[in-house]
Amino acid sequence: MMKKNKIIRDERVITQMNRIQGEAYIIISVVLFSSVIVQQIFFDAPFKQYAVELFCVVGIAIYTIIRSIIAGINLEGTQGKINTFTVMFFVGMLVTIIQGTKNYIAYSEMYQRDGMGYFIAVLVVLFISSSILGGLVIMVLNYINKIRQQSIQRALDEEETKD
């Protein structure tokens, strides 16, 4: 039988590599998201031109969340529960700024002719609806995370009582 040579890695090196890969993940996500925004707003590109980047950003986020929940990593982290209202506000603002800019660029002549009331009404509806959607998503994620953390706690408690 041949003996496999195992490479022993130092935990500090592994931790540092994970940190570097985590930073690379953030950089790639930001660059992809920025690419989507630039193509959508400034280049007025059709959806099919930036669809791959958008699907990658959304896919990365979904994968990270699902994988974290499955692995038992508490999404709440050390900060406590994810503040639903903060997420609602930031999602609402992000969507409103991006779509509001795109909307104004596309329909600026109409808004200037008919008045800014329509534009403001669109922004208000957009902010409210995207905030509600963001809040619902974060509430569902908090609920799933809570169930998973309770499951892990039960398993740990059962293991502790067996010993």
Side-chain angles (χ1 to χ4, degrees):
M1 279 191 200
M2 293 183 64
K3 199 175 197 183
K4 290 185 180 179
N5 291 334
K6 287 189 176 183
I7 298 174
I8 300 174
R9 292 188 179 180
D10 187 355
E11 287 181 25
R12 294 171 293 183
V13 173
I14 293 171
T15 301
Q16 191 62 32
M17 287 174 59
N18 288 341
R19 207 173 275 144
I20 291 168
Q21 290 170 351
E23 291 167 357
Y25 156 78
I26 291 170
I27 291 168
I28 289 171
S29 296
V30 169
V31 168
L32 285 173
F33 186 70
S34 300
S35 172
V36 169
I37 300 302
V38 168
Q39 289 182 59
Q40 183 184 32
I41 293 176
F42 299 113
F43 297 150
D44 198 28
F47 177 74
K48 65 182 179 182
Q49 185 172 329
Y50 57 86
V52 172
E53 289 99 324
L54 183 61
F55 290 137
C56 285
V57 170
V58 172
I60 288 169
I62 291 171
Y63 174 80
T64 302
I65 291 168
I66 290 172
R67 187 71 177 98
S68 296
I69 290 172
I70 290 171
I73 298 171
N74 192 350
L75 295 179
E76 296 173 359
T78 57
Q79 305 299 319
K81 189 174 181 183
I82 300 170
N83 189 333
T84 304
F85 292 110
T86 303
V87 171
M88 288 174 69
F89 176 77
F90 282 113
V91 166
M93 287 303 293
L94 182 67
V95 170
T96 302
I97 289 169
I98 292 168
Q99 282 305 120
T101 304
K102 183 173 170 60
N103 195 346
Y104 188 79
I105 290 170
Y107 302 109
S108 61
E109 291 177 12
M110 184 192 79
Y111 291 135
Q112 290 172 358
R113 182 184 67 237
D114 297 337
M116 293 300 284
Y118 292 117
F119 181 65
I120 292 171
V122 167
L123 292 181
V124 169
V125 169
L126 187 60
F127 177 77
I128 291 170
S129 59
S130 59
S131 295
I132 290 171
L133 180 62
L136 288 173
V137 168
I138 206 65
M139 286 170 41
V140 167
L141 289 175
N142 277 335
Y143 178 74
I144 293 170
N145 183 50
K146 180 181 172 186
I147 289 172
R148 179 67 177 143
Q149 292 304 313
Q150 288 172 346
S151 169
I152 291 170
Q153 188 61 46
R154 267 184 275 136
L156 290 173
D157 290 344
E158 288 174 10
E159 186 177 299
E160 205 172 87
T161 56
K162 287 180 183 178
D163 293 335

